[in-house]
Amino acid sequence: MQAPSLGGVQVPRGNGTTVVRLRHGASLNDFADKIDANPAALVTVLFHLGEMATATQSLDEDTFGTLATELGYQIEMVSAEEEDRELLGAFDIDLQAEEADESDEDLAVRPPVVTVMGHVDHGKTKLLDAIRKSDVVAGEHGGITQHIGAYQITHEHEGTDRAITFIDTPGHEAFTAMRARGAQVTDIAILVVAADDGVMPQTVEAVNHAQAAGVPIVVAVNKIDVEGANPAKVRQQLTEYNLVAEEYGGDTMFVDVAAKPGIGIDSLIDAVLLTADASLDLRANPTKDARGVAIEANLDKGRGPVATVLVQAGTLHVGDAIVAGTAYGRVRAMFDEHGNAVEAATPARPVQVLGLTSVPGAGDTFLVAPDDRTARQIAEKRQAAERAATLAKRRKRISLEDFDVELKKGKVESLNLILKGDVSGAVEALEDALLKIDVGEEVELRVIHRGVGAITQNDVNLATVDSAVIIGFNVKYGERVEELAEREGVDVKFYSVIYQAIEDVEAALKGMLKPEYEEVQLGTAEIRQVFRSSKFGNIAGSVVRSGSIRRNSKARVLRNGTVVGDNLTIESLRREKDDVTEVREGFECGIGLGSFNDVNEGDTIETFEMREKPRA
Ligand code: GDP
């Protein structure tokens, strides 16, 4: 149905209940696509509603809401996960329904997947080596064990042979990076703590990450062979982090080990299996098309893209058409961690896969598609969605400034903070002071992670997963972390005075921390000659005196130091006969200020923009 709308443009209208689903960060182009309208028409309608936006700019829910109401639609914002689900739905793939349809008979017990975490030098790598060597059927595999990102061992537990899969990249970095991409790979975390060193910053980080993901922890108290080892102290220290040993009445299993000489490894694996059996229901349907996660991938000179995938459900076969994130292809060959060819990989089995046409990201989910064409189409659709999402992400996920708005909209209930400081004393003081803030009834203040040192990729990843704001006290960004924060839209605030941080957080909670803007001059131009045009109004023939003049920037006109025209916009900008977007210092140009015509020879045009002022 076409009907005249605001501004006289034709836009297909909804009946008031027609629902339009848009992803976060969508633009008018996307909206236009869904209702089969001309994007330019939507720009016009929105303009008449008092909002200026370009067709490609990503808009917030409220703006879409206003526009939709006007046109008889209802807006529903969709998350990236939901969008991907819909994308797959278009190919008749519904992973949730697939799982929901599975009955008990379809499900078979699968091995647990374990990640080893802990402080640097506490023995993670050695422990992974020792566990690998403990494999009871290692001899039968033949070949030398290679690092492919994960391995599986068989362990005799209470009289039966049980398989366990270990993620071979120690540390919580990979773990969190995967979680940030929505992939939960790990069932159980082994926390390695050196008994001669005790709980250290990364031990705490690891605990935070595992607990935030709801993954049960088994503690390996390592290096008990070293003089001065104090396993009891480790147990006592960890009680502070809600890890209470069974022998102290808690429910966490602590096992004393020495990875280097290989002491206690069997007991540790037993503890992992006991914990899995006690607290997890690890079953999967092995008979369907495979679904899982890519845990490592690289471009091999001879073999092309090589990805190690962990099958989470179903069985992966050579010849299957697969999509992993935005990569796709056909499984040409599969290898296990011993370099042996594998024909079929069942749940919890990690395999190297050859045959993809590009390299997927670690943490990308993969699935088997009905045929090659479908696999390619899914990958292409995802590539398009990813481009759109990158644009949308530039906007902050959560920031101190808009916290109250999100709170009122019911989008958040707690202000999650990550604290980083130069010394632990400062971090503790900051945390203590923050937790003393009277936050009122309807909101909660949570410090989800604290640590000493620069702001790391990890901090940003964790902030992404848990929508947290990072507070840095006398610290800076680590290498390349700023770009990541920017890309992920994570708000990071730096302070060197504790009370200022407290003030800001308090203000954020009370909704008083509005951004302050300041004017930043972009350029000035001197008018040399005025050209009168009946069609375009007066054009100021000018020479740029400083900076540069950009089309669409804000402007004012000064005559002998007095403002004669304000709130103007550089509506047209020409060099010679060409429309240009920017003219630099020293060059001549023709400037049109829209309907503002009061320009004289000798006047100065000044352009500026409003920038958010950094807080002291
Ligand atoms: P990671 O940084 O946590 O991966 O730690 P590594 O596995 O690289 O171990 C750090 C150092 O501690 C290495 O020199 C290991 O040889 C040593 N180490 C690891 N486990 C033990 C152990 O059980 N006993 C002794 N004495 N040394 C160990």
Side-chain angles (χ1 to χ4, degrees), residues 413-448:
E413 283 154 6
S414 68
L415 176 57
N416 292 347
L417 297 175
I418 292 177
L419 309 181
K420 290 304 283 276
D422 53 345
V423 287
S424 59
V427 177
E428 278 161 27
L430 187 58
E431 179 168 1
D432 280 351
L434 285 170
L435 294 178
K436 280 198 194 109
I437 296 179
D438 179 14
V439 294
E441 294 277 291
E442 63 280 13
V443 48
E444 190 189 353
L445 182 76
R446 285 171 55 200
V447 175
I448 57 165

PDB file of all heavy atoms in Angstrom, residues 413-448:
ATOM      1  N   GLU A 413      21.058  -3.922  34.623  1.00  0.00           N
ATOM      2  CA  GLU A 413      20.646  -3.870  36.013  1.00  0.00           C
ATOM      3  C   GLU A 413      21.824  -3.612  36.906  1.00  0.00           C
ATOM      4  O   GLU A 413      21.694  -3.239  38.052  1.00  0.00           O
ATOM      5  CB  GLU A 413      20.012  -5.207  36.419  1.00  0.00           C
ATOM      6  CG  GLU A 413      18.620  -5.341  35.901  1.00  0.00           C
ATOM      7  CD  GLU A 413      18.246  -6.794  35.724  1.00  0.00           C
ATOM      8  OE1 GLU A 413      19.048  -7.669  36.112  1.00  0.00           O
ATOM      9  OE2 GLU A 413      17.165  -7.034  35.189  1.00  0.00           O
ATOM     10  N   SER A 414      23.022  -3.855  36.351  1.00  0.00           N
ATOM     11  CA  SER A 414      24.181  -3.625  37.195  1.00  0.00           C
ATOM     12  C   SER A 414      25.242  -2.901  36.387  1.00  0.00           C
ATOM     13  O   SER A 414      25.317  -3.057  35.174  1.00  0.00           O
ATOM     14  CB  SER A 414      24.724  -4.954  37.714  1.00  0.00           C
ATOM     15  OG  SER A 414      25.272  -5.691  36.657  1.00  0.00           O
ATOM     16  N   LEU A 415      26.012  -2.099  37.088  1.00  0.00           N
ATOM     17  CA  LEU A 415      27.142  -1.449  36.445  1.00  0.00           C
ATOM     18  C   LEU A 415      28.340  -2.362  36.702  1.00  0.00           C
ATOM     19  O   LEU A 415      28.789  -2.502  37.832  1.00  0.00           O
ATOM     20  CB  LEU A 415      27.368  -0.054  37.038  1.00  0.00           C
ATOM     21  CG  LEU A 415      28.591   0.701  36.515  1.00  0.00           C
ATOM     22  CD1 LEU A 415      28.551   0.865  35.010  1.00  0.00           C
ATOM     23  CD2 LEU A 415      28.696   2.068  37.174  1.00  0.00           C
ATOM     24  N   ASN A 416      28.817  -3.016  35.641  1.00  0.00           N
ATOM     25  CA  ASN A 416      29.952  -3.923  35.776  1.00  0.00           C
ATOM     26  C   ASN A 416      31.242  -3.163  35.528  1.00  0.00           C
ATOM     27  O   ASN A 416      31.355  -2.469  34.535  1.00  0.00           O
ATOM     28  CB  ASN A 416      29.837  -5.061  34.769  1.00  0.00           C
ATOM     29  CG  ASN A 416      28.681  -5.978  35.074  1.00  0.00           C
ATOM     30  OD1 ASN A 416      28.110  -5.914  36.170  1.00  0.00           O
ATOM     31  ND2 ASN A 416      28.318  -6.812  34.142  1.00  0.00           N
ATOM     32  N   LEU A 417      32.187  -3.329  36.436  1.00  0.00           N
ATOM     33  CA  LEU A 417      33.449  -2.618  36.281  1.00  0.00           C
ATOM     34  C   LEU A 417      34.623  -3.585  36.271  1.00  0.00           C
ATOM     35  O   LEU A 417      34.601  -4.626  36.912  1.00  0.00           O
ATOM     36  CB  LEU A 417      33.653  -1.635  37.441  1.00  0.00           C
ATOM     37  CG  LEU A 417      32.653  -0.489  37.582  1.00  0.00           C
ATOM     38  CD1 LEU A 417      32.952   0.295  38.843  1.00  0.00           C
ATOM     39  CD2 LEU A 417      32.709   0.436  36.368  1.00  0.00           C
ATOM     40  N   ILE A 418      35.635  -3.201  35.499  1.00  0.00           N
ATOM     41  CA  ILE A 418      36.909  -3.915  35.540  1.00  0.00           C
ATOM     42  C   ILE A 418      37.931  -2.888  36.007  1.00  0.00           C
ATOM     43  O   ILE A 418      38.035  -1.821  35.408  1.00  0.00           O
ATOM     44  CB  ILE A 418      37.275  -4.454  34.150  1.00  0.00           C
ATOM     45  CG1 ILE A 418      36.291  -5.562  33.769  1.00  0.00           C
ATOM     46  CG2 ILE A 418      38.717  -4.961  34.123  1.00  0.00           C
ATOM     47  CD1 ILE A 418      36.485  -6.133  32.384  1.00  0.00           C
ATOM     48  N   LEU A 419      38.632  -3.164  37.084  1.00  0.00           N
ATOM     49  CA  LEU A 419      39.585  -2.205  37.635  1.00  0.00           C
ATOM     50  C   LEU A 419      41.011  -2.642  37.344  1.00  0.00           C
ATOM     51  O   LEU A 419      41.382  -3.772  37.625  1.00  0.00           O
ATOM     52  CB  LEU A 419      39.415  -2.084  39.152  1.00  0.00           C
ATOM     53  CG  LEU A 419      38.002  -1.834  39.690  1.00  0.00           C
ATOM     54  CD1 LEU A 419      38.043  -1.720  41.210  1.00  0.00           C
ATOM     55  CD2 LEU A 419      37.419  -0.573  39.087  1.00  0.00           C
ATOM     56  N   LYS A 420      41.796  -1.746  36.782  1.00  0.00           N
ATOM     57  CA  LYS A 420      43.211  -2.018  36.590  1.00  0.00           C
ATOM     58  C   LYS A 420      44.001  -0.866  37.198  1.00  0.00           C
ATOM     59  O   LYS A 420      43.659   0.302  36.979  1.00  0.00           O
ATOM     60  CB  LYS A 420      43.557  -2.117  35.094  1.00  0.00           C
ATOM     61  CG  LYS A 420      43.012  -3.330  34.375  1.00  0.00           C
ATOM     62  CD  LYS A 420      43.400  -4.663  34.972  1.00  0.00           C
ATOM     63  CE  LYS A 420      44.800  -5.112  34.665  1.00  0.00           C
ATOM     64  NZ  LYS A 420      45.008  -5.789  33.408  1.00  0.00           N
ATOM     65  N   GLY A 421      45.056  -1.196  37.957  1.00  0.00           N
ATOM     66  CA  GLY A 421      45.851  -0.150  38.576  1.00  0.00           C
ATOM     67  C   GLY A 421      47.323  -0.479  38.521  1.00  0.00           C
ATOM     68  O   GLY A 421      47.704  -1.606  38.177  1.00  0.00           O
ATOM     69  N   ASP A 422      48.146   0.497  38.875  1.00  0.00           N
ATOM     70  CA  ASP A 422      49.584   0.278  38.806  1.00  0.00           C
ATOM     71  C   ASP A 422      50.102  -0.565  39.958  1.00  0.00           C
ATOM     72  O   ASP A 422      51.056  -1.307  39.815  1.00  0.00           O
ATOM     73  CB  ASP A 422      50.335   1.618  38.725  1.00  0.00           C
ATOM     74  CG  ASP A 422      49.947   2.566  39.841  1.00  0.00           C
ATOM     75  OD1 ASP A 422      48.906   2.323  40.507  1.00  0.00           O
ATOM     76  OD2 ASP A 422      50.660   3.553  40.064  1.00  0.00           O
ATOM     77  N   VAL A 423      49.464  -0.441  41.103  1.00  0.00           N
ATOM     78  CA  VAL A 423      49.866  -1.268  42.245  1.00  0.00           C
ATOM     79  C   VAL A 423      48.627  -1.861  42.888  1.00  0.00           C
ATOM     80  O   VAL A 423      47.541  -1.285  42.812  1.00  0.00           O
ATOM     81  CB  VAL A 423      50.640  -0.450  43.311  1.00  0.00           C
ATOM     82  CG1 VAL A 423      52.039  -0.112  42.840  1.00  0.00           C
ATOM     83  CG2 VAL A 423      49.890   0.805  43.687  1.00  0.00           C
ATOM     84  N   SER A 424      48.792  -3.021  43.515  1.00  0.00           N
ATOM     85  CA  SER A 424      47.609  -3.696  44.023  1.00  0.00           C
ATOM     86  C   SER A 424      46.940  -2.897  45.139  1.00  0.00           C
ATOM     87  O   SER A 424      45.732  -2.932  45.292  1.00  0.00           O
ATOM     88  CB  SER A 424      47.950  -5.109  44.469  1.00  0.00           C
ATOM     89  OG  SER A 424      48.930  -5.054  45.472  1.00  0.00           O
ATOM     90  N   GLY A 425      47.735  -2.155  45.897  1.00  0.00           N
ATOM     91  CA  GLY A 425      47.161  -1.344  46.972  1.00  0.00           C
ATOM     92  C   GLY A 425      46.136  -0.361  46.437  1.00  0.00           C
ATOM     93  O   GLY A 425      45.053  -0.194  47.007  1.00  0.00           O
ATOM     94  N   ALA A 426      46.477   0.269  45.309  1.00  0.00           N
ATOM     95  CA  ALA A 426      45.586   1.258  44.719  1.00  0.00           C
ATOM     96  C   ALA A 426      44.303   0.602  44.230  1.00  0.00           C
ATOM     97  O   ALA A 426      43.198   1.117  44.405  1.00  0.00           O
ATOM     98  CB  ALA A 426      46.288   1.967  43.566  1.00  0.00           C
ATOM     99  N   VAL A 427      44.471  -0.580  43.617  1.00  0.00           N
ATOM    100  CA  VAL A 427      43.299  -1.274  43.091  1.00  0.00           C
ATOM    101  C   VAL A 427      42.359  -1.649  44.233  1.00  0.00           C
ATOM    102  O   VAL A 427      41.152  -1.468  44.155  1.00  0.00           O
ATOM    103  CB  VAL A 427      43.731  -2.537  42.306  1.00  0.00           C
ATOM    104  CG1 VAL A 427      42.518  -3.302  41.815  1.00  0.00           C
ATOM    105  CG2 VAL A 427      44.615  -2.151  41.135  1.00  0.00           C
ATOM    106  N   GLU A 428      42.967  -2.136  45.328  1.00  0.00           N
ATOM    107  CA  GLU A 428      42.145  -2.506  46.481  1.00  0.00           C
ATOM    108  C   GLU A 428      41.434  -1.296  47.061  1.00  0.00           C
ATOM    109  O   GLU A 428      40.247  -1.341  47.377  1.00  0.00           O
ATOM    110  CB  GLU A 428      43.013  -3.157  47.567  1.00  0.00           C
ATOM    111  CG  GLU A 428      43.255  -4.616  47.292  1.00  0.00           C
ATOM    112  CD  GLU A 428      44.452  -5.143  48.083  1.00  0.00           C
ATOM    113  OE1 GLU A 428      44.755  -4.586  49.163  1.00  0.00           O
ATOM    114  OE2 GLU A 428      45.091  -6.089  47.599  1.00  0.00           O
ATOM    115  N   ALA A 429      42.188  -0.205  47.190  1.00  0.00           N
ATOM    116  CA  ALA A 429      41.601   1.013  47.751  1.00  0.00           C
ATOM    117  C   ALA A 429      40.438   1.483  46.882  1.00  0.00           C
ATOM    118  O   ALA A 429      39.375   1.869  47.383  1.00  0.00           O
ATOM    119  CB  ALA A 429      42.666   2.102  47.841  1.00  0.00           C
ATOM    120  N   LEU A 430      40.657   1.436  45.570  1.00  0.00           N
ATOM    121  CA  LEU A 430      39.631   1.868  44.633  1.00  0.00           C
ATOM    122  C   LEU A 430      38.397   0.978  44.751  1.00  0.00           C
ATOM    123  O   LEU A 430      37.270   1.451  44.841  1.00  0.00           O
ATOM    124  CB  LEU A 430      40.204   1.807  43.209  1.00  0.00           C
ATOM    125  CG  LEU A 430      39.351   2.367  42.079  1.00  0.00           C
ATOM    126  CD1 LEU A 430      39.019   3.821  42.327  1.00  0.00           C
ATOM    127  CD2 LEU A 430      40.089   2.224  40.752  1.00  0.00           C
ATOM    128  N   GLU A 431      38.656  -0.317  44.784  1.00  0.00           N
ATOM    129  CA  GLU A 431      37.526  -1.242  44.869  1.00  0.00           C
ATOM    130  C   GLU A 431      36.750  -1.039  46.166  1.00  0.00           C
ATOM    131  O   GLU A 431      35.519  -0.972  46.160  1.00  0.00           O
ATOM    132  CB  GLU A 431      38.011  -2.687  44.762  1.00  0.00           C
ATOM    133  CG  GLU A 431      36.862  -3.669  44.865  1.00  0.00           C
ATOM    134  CD  GLU A 431      37.225  -5.100  44.486  1.00  0.00           C
ATOM    135  OE1 GLU A 431      38.393  -5.343  44.154  1.00  0.00           O
ATOM    136  OE2 GLU A 431      36.313  -5.941  44.521  1.00  0.00           O
ATOM    137  N   ASP A 432      37.481  -0.918  47.271  1.00  0.00           N
ATOM    138  CA  ASP A 432      36.821  -0.697  48.564  1.00  0.00           C
ATOM    139  C   ASP A 432      35.934   0.530  48.512  1.00  0.00           C
ATOM    140  O   ASP A 432      34.781   0.517  48.928  1.00  0.00           O
ATOM    141  CB  ASP A 432      37.873  -0.493  49.668  1.00  0.00           C
ATOM    142  CG  ASP A 432      38.437  -1.822  50.118  1.00  0.00           C
ATOM    143  OD1 ASP A 432      37.881  -2.858  49.697  1.00  0.00           O
ATOM    144  OD2 ASP A 432      39.433  -1.821  50.861  1.00  0.00           O
ATOM    145  N   ALA A 433      36.515   1.620  47.994  1.00  0.00           N
ATOM    146  CA  ALA A 433      35.782   2.879  47.958  1.00  0.00           C
ATOM    147  C   ALA A 433      34.564   2.775  47.042  1.00  0.00           C
ATOM    148  O   ALA A 433      33.482   3.264  47.372  1.00  0.00           O
ATOM    149  CB  ALA A 433      36.702   4.004  47.481  1.00  0.00           C
ATOM    150  N   LEU A 434      34.745   2.102  45.904  1.00  0.00           N
ATOM    151  CA  LEU A 434      33.631   1.968  44.966  1.00  0.00           C
ATOM    152  C   LEU A 434      32.492   1.174  45.579  1.00  0.00           C
ATOM    153  O   LEU A 434      31.325   1.520  45.436  1.00  0.00           O
ATOM    154  CB  LEU A 434      34.101   1.271  43.681  1.00  0.00           C
ATOM    155  CG  LEU A 434      34.926   2.130  42.730  1.00  0.00           C
ATOM    156  CD1 LEU A 434      35.524   1.271  41.632  1.00  0.00           C
ATOM    157  CD2 LEU A 434      34.060   3.226  42.118  1.00  0.00           C
ATOM    158  N   LEU A 435      32.877   0.107  46.287  1.00  0.00           N
ATOM    159  CA  LEU A 435      31.841  -0.746  46.843  1.00  0.00           C
ATOM    160  C   LEU A 435      31.109  -0.083  48.007  1.00  0.00           C
ATOM    161  O   LEU A 435      30.067  -0.534  48.435  1.00  0.00           O
ATOM    162  CB  LEU A 435      32.415  -2.106  47.244  1.00  0.00           C
ATOM    163  CG  LEU A 435      32.915  -2.928  46.044  1.00  0.00           C
ATOM    164  CD1 LEU A 435      33.521  -4.239  46.476  1.00  0.00           C
ATOM    165  CD2 LEU A 435      31.779  -3.185  45.048  1.00  0.00           C
ATOM    166  N   LYS A 436      31.694   1.017  48.511  1.00  0.00           N
ATOM    167  CA  LYS A 436      31.018   1.732  49.596  1.00  0.00           C
ATOM    168  C   LYS A 436      29.993   2.740  49.077  1.00  0.00           C
ATOM    169  O   LYS A 436      29.214   3.291  49.839  1.00  0.00           O
ATOM    170  CB  LYS A 436      32.059   2.474  50.435  1.00  0.00           C
ATOM    171  CG  LYS A 436      32.754   1.543  51.409  1.00  0.00           C
ATOM    172  CD  LYS A 436      33.441   2.310  52.519  1.00  0.00           C
ATOM    173  CE  LYS A 436      34.407   1.404  53.259  1.00  0.00           C
ATOM    174  NZ  LYS A 436      35.809   1.759  52.959  1.00  0.00           N
ATOM    175  N   ILE A 437      30.005   2.988  47.764  1.00  0.00           N
ATOM    176  CA  ILE A 437      29.054   3.952  47.203  1.00  0.00           C
ATOM    177  C   ILE A 437      27.636   3.453  47.461  1.00  0.00           C
ATOM    178  O   ILE A 437      27.331   2.277  47.251  1.00  0.00           O
ATOM    179  CB  ILE A 437      29.256   4.109  45.672  1.00  0.00           C
ATOM    180  CG1 ILE A 437      30.629   4.698  45.378  1.00  0.00           C
ATOM    181  CG2 ILE A 437      28.170   4.979  45.064  1.00  0.00           C
ATOM    182  CD1 ILE A 437      30.910   4.849  43.892  1.00  0.00           C
ATOM    183  N   ASP A 438      26.787   4.374  47.903  1.00  0.00           N
ATOM    184  CA  ASP A 438      25.404   4.022  48.134  1.00  0.00           C
ATOM    185  C   ASP A 438      24.706   4.014  46.781  1.00  0.00           C
ATOM    186  O   ASP A 438      24.467   5.058  46.182  1.00  0.00           O
ATOM    187  CB  ASP A 438      24.772   5.068  49.060  1.00  0.00           C
ATOM    188  CG  ASP A 438      23.310   4.752  49.307  1.00  0.00           C
ATOM    189  OD1 ASP A 438      22.899   3.617  48.994  1.00  0.00           O
ATOM    190  OD2 ASP A 438      22.588   5.639  49.783  1.00  0.00           O
ATOM    191  N   VAL A 439      24.432   2.813  46.257  1.00  0.00           N
ATOM    192  CA  VAL A 439      23.953   2.738  44.883  1.00  0.00           C
ATOM    193  C   VAL A 439      22.439   2.694  44.756  1.00  0.00           C
ATOM    194  O   VAL A 439      21.909   2.707  43.646  1.00  0.00           O
ATOM    195  CB  VAL A 439      24.553   1.516  44.146  1.00  0.00           C
ATOM    196  CG1 VAL A 439      26.035   1.677  43.988  1.00  0.00           C
ATOM    197  CG2 VAL A 439      24.216   0.231  44.865  1.00  0.00           C
ATOM    198  N   GLY A 440      21.749   2.643  45.887  1.00  0.00           N
ATOM    199  CA  GLY A 440      20.291   2.614  45.795  1.00  0.00           C
ATOM    200  C   GLY A 440      19.768   1.215  45.531  1.00  0.00           C
ATOM    201  O   GLY A 440      20.524   0.258  45.455  1.00  0.00           O
ATOM    202  N   GLU A 441      18.437   1.132  45.375  1.00  0.00           N
ATOM    203  CA  GLU A 441      17.749  -0.151  45.305  1.00  0.00           C
ATOM    204  C   GLU A 441      17.865  -0.851  43.960  1.00  0.00           C
ATOM    205  O   GLU A 441      18.153  -2.024  43.874  1.00  0.00           O
ATOM    206  CB  GLU A 441      16.248   0.076  45.578  1.00  0.00           C
ATOM    207  CG  GLU A 441      15.927   0.547  46.973  1.00  0.00           C
ATOM    208  CD  GLU A 441      15.862  -0.623  47.936  1.00  0.00           C
ATOM    209  OE1 GLU A 441      14.920  -1.417  47.800  1.00  0.00           O
ATOM    210  OE2 GLU A 441      16.756  -0.749  48.804  1.00  0.00           O
ATOM    211  N   GLU A 442      17.632  -0.071  42.912  1.00  0.00           N
ATOM    212  CA  GLU A 442      17.369  -0.720  41.634  1.00  0.00           C
ATOM    213  C   GLU A 442      18.613  -1.031  40.813  1.00  0.00           C
ATOM    214  O   GLU A 442      18.534  -1.569  39.729  1.00  0.00           O
ATOM    215  CB  GLU A 442      16.363   0.095  40.797  1.00  0.00           C
ATOM    216  CG  GLU A 442      16.797   1.471  40.376  1.00  0.00           C
ATOM    217  CD  GLU A 442      16.654   2.509  41.467  1.00  0.00           C
ATOM    218  OE1 GLU A 442      16.449   2.147  42.651  1.00  0.00           O
ATOM    219  OE2 GLU A 442      16.775   3.668  41.160  1.00  0.00           O
ATOM    220  N   VAL A 443      19.758  -0.695  41.362  1.00  0.00           N
ATOM    221  CA  VAL A 443      20.954  -0.952  40.596  1.00  0.00           C
ATOM    222  C   VAL A 443      22.038  -1.603  41.469  1.00  0.00           C
ATOM    223  O   VAL A 443      22.061  -1.427  42.680  1.00  0.00           O
ATOM    224  CB  VAL A 443      21.467   0.347  39.927  1.00  0.00           C
ATOM    225  CG1 VAL A 443      21.508   1.463  40.909  1.00  0.00           C
ATOM    226  CG2 VAL A 443      22.819   0.165  39.286  1.00  0.00           C
ATOM    227  N   GLU A 444      22.885  -2.347  40.805  1.00  0.00           N
ATOM    228  CA  GLU A 444      23.925  -3.067  41.519  1.00  0.00           C
ATOM    229  C   GLU A 444      25.266  -2.670  40.918  1.00  0.00           C
ATOM    230  O   GLU A 444      25.377  -2.476  39.714  1.00  0.00           O
ATOM    231  CB  GLU A 444      23.675  -4.552  41.275  1.00  0.00           C
ATOM    232  CG  GLU A 444      24.486  -5.480  42.111  1.00  0.00           C
ATOM    233  CD  GLU A 444      24.312  -6.922  41.619  1.00  0.00           C
ATOM    234  OE1 GLU A 444      23.476  -7.158  40.735  1.00  0.00           O
ATOM    235  OE2 GLU A 444      25.038  -7.780  42.107  1.00  0.00           O
ATOM    236  N   LEU A 445      26.262  -2.524  41.754  1.00  0.00           N
ATOM    237  CA  LEU A 445      27.605  -2.208  41.271  1.00  0.00           C
ATOM    238  C   LEU A 445      28.457  -3.460  41.438  1.00  0.00           C
ATOM    239  O   LEU A 445      28.554  -4.001  42.533  1.00  0.00           O
ATOM    240  CB  LEU A 445      28.193  -1.060  42.088  1.00  0.00           C
ATOM    241  CG  LEU A 445      29.579  -0.598  41.657  1.00  0.00           C
ATOM    242  CD1 LEU A 445      29.494   0.228  40.398  1.00  0.00           C
ATOM    243  CD2 LEU A 445      30.226   0.224  42.754  1.00  0.00           C
ATOM    244  N   ARG A 446      29.028  -3.942  40.338  1.00  0.00           N
ATOM    245  CA  ARG A 446      29.820  -5.171  40.442  1.00  0.00           C
ATOM    246  C   ARG A 446      31.203  -4.954  39.870  1.00  0.00           C
ATOM    247  O   ARG A 446      31.359  -4.446  38.765  1.00  0.00           O
ATOM    248  CB  ARG A 446      29.152  -6.295  39.646  1.00  0.00           C
ATOM    249  CG  ARG A 446      27.934  -6.867  40.318  1.00  0.00           C
ATOM    250  CD  ARG A 446      27.206  -7.797  39.378  1.00  0.00           C
ATOM    251  NE  ARG A 446      28.060  -8.859  38.861  1.00  0.00           N
ATOM    252  CZ  ARG A 446      27.783  -9.544  37.761  1.00  0.00           C
ATOM    253  NH1 ARG A 446      26.723  -9.269  37.051  1.00  0.00           N
ATOM    254  NH2 ARG A 446      28.595 -10.496  37.362  1.00  0.00           N
ATOM    255  N   VAL A 447      32.202  -5.334  40.656  1.00  0.00           N
ATOM    256  CA  VAL A 447      33.563  -5.325  40.121  1.00  0.00           C
ATOM    257  C   VAL A 447      33.808  -6.754  39.652  1.00  0.00           C
ATOM    258  O   VAL A 447      33.957  -7.662  40.465  1.00  0.00           O
ATOM    259  CB  VAL A 447      34.576  -4.904  41.199  1.00  0.00           C
ATOM    260  CG1 VAL A 447      35.992  -5.022  40.653  1.00  0.00           C
ATOM    261  CG2 VAL A 447      34.298  -3.480  41.650  1.00  0.00           C
ATOM    262  N   ILE A 448      33.788  -6.961  38.345  1.00  0.00           N
ATOM    263  CA  ILE A 448      33.870  -8.343  37.862  1.00  0.00           C
ATOM    264  C   ILE A 448      35.307  -8.813  37.709  1.00  0.00           C
ATOM    265  O   ILE A 448      35.570  -9.993  37.569  1.00  0.00           O
ATOM    266  CB  ILE A 448      33.108  -8.552  36.534  1.00  0.00           C
ATOM    267  CG1 ILE A 448      33.625  -7.610  35.455  1.00  0.00           C
ATOM    268  CG2 ILE A 448      31.629  -8.375  36.732  1.00  0.00           C
ATOM    269  CD1 ILE A 448      33.168  -8.045  34.084  1.00  0.00           C
TER     270      ILE A 448
END
